[in-house]
Amino acid sequence: MTPDELLAVARESASQAVVPYSRFPVGAAVETHDGRVFRGCNIESASYGLTICAERVAIFSAKATGADPIAIAVSCARGNPSEPTSLTPCGACRQVMMDQMGPEAKCYVDGVGTFTVAELLPLGFRLPPSVATSPE
Ligand code: THU
């Protein structure tokens, strides 16, 4: 899938956002190593801190099927292109991208551009291999 095609899916996904508090819909689309595409949208909670962002919904949805995300597209329908930071992923999602996709994976940000995860999260935290053992 091309970056533009993945961005188109991200835009569509924003239409499913559950945003009664912020009224700020976000859509995401993840492409996996085996060519599948997983969608995400932000889902807000009456207990505000339980809200989850579109990016994490898409990444976790892919992981839940055993697929490996290799690229992600993000679209903030009501972001303002003259303020790019109203369109770029939050810090929590950047860490999850680092955890689940690695530093070289691509992130396509609608209206802003293409970044590697390492560009979005310089010096992002990773557990050292001596500590990060894989679960049995
Ligand atoms: N939001 C996302 O879905 N992704 C981001 O990267 C930034 C913020 C959501 C969370 C909340 O529902 C709304 O946008 C306003 O912050």
Side-chain angles (χ1 to χ4, degrees):
M1 183 167 264
T2 67
D4 279 346
E5 288 169 336
L6 203 60
L7 278 165
V9 179
R11 271 177 225 128
E12 277 175 32
S13 303
S15 67
Q16 299 301 325
V18 180
V19 289
Y21 307 106
S22 74
R23 307 276 176 202
F24 190 81
V26 182
V30 157
E31 185 173 19
T32 62
H33 66 303
D34 54 3
R36 285 184 285 166
V37 174
F38 291 84
R39 293 164 177 249
C41 59
N42 50 335
I43 300 173
E44 297 181 347
S45 170
S47 180
Y48 296 171
L50 303 184
T51 291
I52 185 163
C53 295
E55 297 92 320
R56 279 175 284 158
V57 170
I59 292 168
F60 293 156
S61 175
K63 293 296 293 186
T65 72
D68 287 327
I70 57 170
I72 186 167
V74 186
S75 181
C76 294
R78 297 185 61 194
N80 181 351
S82 67
E83 295 174 68
T85 51
S86 69
L87 297 163
T88 48
C90 81
C93 291
R94 294 179 196 208
Q95 179 65 45
V96 170
M97 288 178 207
M98 181 67 83
D99 297 338
Q100 304 302 333
M101 303 172 67
E104 305 308 326
K106 292 282 172 59
C107 178
Y108 310 117
V109 183
D110 202 10
V112 183
T114 299
F115 305 89
T116 64
V117 171
E119 287 171 334
L120 291 175
L121 192 66
L123 295 177
F125 178 71
R126 305 204 85 179
L127 276 176
S130 55
V131 174
T133 54
S134 46
E136 293 305 316

